[in-house]
Amino acid sequence: MNIPSLCSADDSVLVVVDLQIRLLAAMAEADRAHLVKHTETLLQAAGALEIPVLYTEQYPKGLGPTVPALVERLPAMALRFEKTAFSCCAAEGFLSALKAPGRGQVVLVGQEAHVCVLQTALELLSLGFRVFVVEDGVCSRAQGHKHNALARLREAGAVVTNVESVLFEWLRDAAHPEFKTISQWVR
């Protein structure tokens, strides 16, 4: 059963927004560590549960590639998109790749919350997707900017959630074959 306010493994696409070396270096050290750790966990779970993954890089010539630790965790079928626009939706081929699996939910992680994540989420909402923004999976250089973005997203109809909620909503039941493995990643 698909309940719109819960993430569904069968209806989700994970989108990782601009987790690049130089951009990540501008974030507070604690935020950077949490963001990478939580994104690694979601990527591992997406791989185990066969959830499609799309990831973007904002002007990689200037901001560098995606952080190597995350590239190592990307499922084999993950798709990469370069962009210069702030919304991922403007990246060539992104929307068609997002729509291809026929899934209606988008789980967003990345940076910066108040720029690329916000613009992507708002555009996806306008296109009819159910958007889940992972609060402990996004950051901004200024905490106030992140909090403002999350408030705007809630008001616009996005679900602001957290890593553990997403994981256990994807699993739905302790009897799930991947429960023991995935639950260890949040201990």
Side-chain angles (χ1 to χ4, degrees), residues 1-178:
M1 180 162 80
N2 192 11
I3 302 166
S5 56
L6 292 175
C7 286
S8 167
D10 294 334
D11 200 30
S12 290
V13 175
L14 176 63
V15 175
V16 180
V17 181
D18 306 343
L19 290 180
Q20 297 159 254
I21 294 171
R22 289 189 193 119
L23 186 56
L24 200 58
M27 304 303 145
E29 187 174 341
D31 292 344
R32 187 169 55 235
H34 284 107
L35 183 56
V36 170
K37 178 184 179 233
H38 291 146
T39 303
E40 285 178 324
T41 301
L42 286 169
L43 286 170
Q44 287 178 276
L49 299 171
E50 299 181 3
I51 293 168
V53 175
L54 308 180
Y55 69 108
T56 62
E57 293 178 348
Q58 176 74 24
Y59 185 62
K61 284 183 185 178
L63 297 174
T66 298
V67 174
L70 297 177
V71 172
E72 291 174 15
R73 299 283 189 209
L74 288 167
M77 299 302 288
L79 299 175
R80 177 183 167 273
F81 298 88
E82 286 188 24
K83 64 188 186 66
T84 56
F86 300 119
S87 173
C88 296
C89 299
E92 187 175 336
F94 179 85
L95 281 176
S96 59
L98 183 63
K99 292 175 182 177
R103 294 170 179 235
Q105 297 181 346
V106 178
V107 177
L108 283 175
V109 295
Q111 61 187 355
E112 286 191 69
H114 67 291
V115 182
C116 296
V117 173
L118 175 77
Q119 290 185 33
T120 300
L122 292 175
E123 192 164 349
L124 290 173
L125 286 166
S126 77
L127 294 170
F129 287 96
R130 188 74 175 130
V131 178
F132 295 80
V133 178
V134 183
E135 182 175 22
D136 50 354
V138 297
C139 71
S140 293
R141 284 169 285 169
Q143 283 297 318
H145 293 162
K146 174 182 172 178
H147 296 303
N148 175 260
L150 294 176
R152 285 184 66 192
L153 289 165
R154 279 187 185 99
E155 288 174 18
V159 175
V160 177
T161 188
N162 60 73
V163 171
E164 283 196 41
S165 291
V166 170
L167 295 174
F168 290 106
E169 288 170 28
W170 280 348
L171 292 170
R172 290 285 168 89
D173 194 312
H176 192 288
E178 296 294 335

